[in-house]
Amino acid sequence: MKRLDGKTIILAVTGSIAAYKAVEVARLFLKRGARVRPVMTASARKFLGPTTLSGITGEPVHADMWDSSIEGELHVTLARGADALVVVPATADRLAVFAQGRAEDLLGALALCVSCPVFVAPAMHPRMWAHAATQASVALLRSRGVAFLGPIHGQVASGDEGVGRMIDPEAVVEAVAEMLGSSQELAGRHVLVSAGPTVEDLDPVRFLTNRSSGKMGFAIAAQAARKGARVTLVAGPVNRATPANVERVNVRSALELQTELERILGPELRGADALIMAAAVADYRPASFSDTKIKKQGEGASLALVRNPDILAAIGARRTGPSPVLVGFALETGDEAAVTAYARGKVDAKKCDVIVANEASRALEGDSNTMYLVFASRDDAVGPISGSKDEVAAVIVSELAKLFERTPRP
Ligand code: C5P
C-alpha cells in the first residue's frame, strides 16, 4: 500500500447523493498518512453535514470564498499548499464549471488556481454522463490533464442502471496514491513529448500516413507525469485517451507538428526541459494539395513528393547548451549491430542526446518492444531492453531523469 505521508490533499465535495462516499475517501486518505483539507460546494451541504467532514479530518470545512476569518485569499492559500485536488463526487454541473473555467465559488476558483494534479470521481445519472454536453466537458478536461476516476457501470440512486456510478472510495484513494506516492524525480521539469503518426493530405479524401499507434509516446507521457513532470503531449491523429495529468495538443501533418513544437519551445528553446520525439514523422509530403478530389486518369499515376523538415535535427542544430534534453527514436531493420550503428549515425546527425533504437518488426503496433539506447555521451549502447511499452517507457523516463541530473535548469 502506497503511503501519503507529508501530502496535503484538498478533498472537494459537490452536490450529489454520492457525497456520503467522500467521508470514506477522507478516512482512507488519513489512514495513509495524508493531511485532508475539506472543501464543500453549497449544494454538497444539502447532502452531507460539514460537521461530519471536519470531525473526521480535524480540519475546518471551507465552503465560502468570502470567509472573513481567513487571512488573504482562501483559494490562493489552499492551492499553494496542495499536492492534489480530489473532487469526490463530481457532478455534471461541476465538470461544466471546470471545463468553462468559471470561478464563481471557492471550488471553481481553486480549480483554476492549483498547479497540482486534479482528480475527479464523477457520479451522476447515466443519461447525464452520456449527454453530449457532459462528454464535451470530459474531453476538454481530459485534454487539460484532469484525471478521471470512473464513473463505472452499475446501479445509481434512482435505481436505474448504466455508466454513472461513482467508483469505490478505495479505488479513488489508490489512484491518487499511485500518482503521488511514486518518486517525483521529474518535479519542476517540463517534458514535451511528440507521439503518433503524421498525416499528409493529398486531397480532401486521400492522405499518406504510417502505422504508428502512438502507444510508445503516450506511455512515456504518462510515465513522466507520474514522476511529477509537467507534460505536454503533441499527438498526431490517434484514437487514444490522454494520460492523466498530461496536457494534449492535437496535430495532423509534420508541418503542424513542427509549428506546435516550435511554439511551445519558443525561439530560444527555453519552453521545455526535454523534447522526446516519439512521433513517426512522415519524411515526405505531397508536393501540392488539391482542394478538389483528384480524378483518375489513364492507367498509371505518379505522385510528386517533397521532403518534410527534419524537426528534431533542426532543433538539435539550434541548441546551444545542454537544454532542452533531446531524445529521438529510430525504427530500423537488421541485427543488433546494424540497429545500433544506424542509431549512432542519427545521434550525430540530429545532434540529440539519446536515440532510442527499435527493431522495426517488433515495435510497430504491438504492445511490446525491444530497444537499445545510444547516447551522445557514451560509446556503448545500453540494451537490449525488452518489455511492454509501459515498462520500456519507465526505463526511458528514468534515463531522462539521469540526464537531467547533469543538465542545469534553464
Ligand atoms: O531519421 P529518422 O526518421 O529515422 O529519425 C527518427 C527520429 O527523428 C524520430 O525521433 C522522429 O520523431 C524524428 N524526425 C523528425 N522529423 C522528421 C523525421 C523524423 O523530427 N521529418
Side-chain angles (χ1 to χ4, degrees), residues 194 277-283 308-313 327-332 346 350:
S194 72
M277 279 296 291
V281 185
D283 291 319
N308 269 327
D310 189 318
I311 303 171
L312 182 59
V327 181
F329 279 73
L331 195 59
E332 309 288 2
K346 282 183 187 169
K350 295 177 194 257

Side-chain angles (χ1 to χ4, degrees), residues 93-364:
D93 178 61
R94 190 45 58 171
L95 297 180
V97 167
F98 286 165
Q100 290 172 18
R102 295 201 330 253
E104 62 216 3
D105 65 2
L106 177 61
L107 180 54
L110 191 56
L112 292 179
C113 214
V114 291
S115 53
C116 61
V118 177
F119 298 83
V120 295
M124 64 196 74
H125 190 278
R127 282 201 299 278
M128 295 175 81
W129 174 253
H131 196 283
T134 306
Q135 288 305 310
S137 300
V138 172
L140 191 57
L141 292 171
R142 278 209 171 108
S143 76
R144 291 189 197 138
V146 171
F148 275 77
L149 311 175
I152 53 173
H153 185 275
Q155 203 171 51
V156 293
S158 59
D160 291 341
E161 221 181 278
V163 177
R165 188 180 162 82
M166 197 187 114
I167 66 166
D168 289 339
E170 182 59 61
V172 172
V173 173
E174 185 57 40
V176 176
E178 183 54 40
M179 169 73 85
L180 297 191
S182 303
S183 87
Q184 300 288 290
E185 57 193 337
L186 295 185
R189 300 288 187 175
H190 181 198
V191 175
L192 180 57
V193 183
S194 72
T198 66
V199 172
E200 311 296 330
D201 288 315
L202 190 58
D203 71 13
V205 292
R206 303 187 183 93
F207 51 79
L208 301 176
T209 189
N210 58 65
R211 284 165 55 190
S212 166
S213 67
K215 252 183 208 158
M216 191 71 236
F218 275 60
I220 291 170
Q223 181 65 15
R226 240 176 260 135
K227 297 281 176 197
R230 177 185 152 215
V231 181
T232 308
L233 175 64
V234 184
V238 283
N239 185 9
R240 199 163 274 291
T242 309
N245 306 115
V246 168
E247 191 180 328
R248 175 174 185 173
V249 179
N250 288 325
V251 294
R252 187 168 171 83
S253 64
L255 292 180
E256 271 178 46
L257 174 61
Q258 183 178 40
T259 303
E260 280 307 313
L261 294 175
E262 296 277 358
R263 180 184 65 77
I264 295 164
L265 287 169
E268 289 173 16
L269 306 180
R270 286 167 164 269
D273 299 288
L275 168 63
I276 303 185
M277 279 296 291
V281 185
D283 291 319
Y284 296 92
R285 66 179 183 278
S288 62
F289 172 76
S290 166
D291 289 330
T292 52
K293 189 179 165 198
I294 300 165
K295 298 284 177 217
K296 53 177 149 324
Q297 287 173 343
E299 285 312 304
S302 60
L303 197 56
L305 301 175
V306 291
R307 192 70 185 263
N308 269 327
D310 189 318
I311 303 171
L312 182 59
I315 291 168
R318 271 170 53 205
R319 182 173 65 155
T320 50
S323 186
V325 170
L326 298 177
V327 181
F329 279 73
L331 195 59
E332 309 288 2
T333 49
D335 60 11
E336 173 175 339
V339 167
T340 54
Y342 286 131
R344 173 68 55 202
K346 282 183 187 169
V347 168
D348 297 339
K350 295 177 194 257
K351 297 194 168 58
C352 58
D353 299 290
V354 194
I355 285 281
V356 181
N358 287 296
E359 208 286 298
S361 62
R362 281 187 267 187
L364 276 173

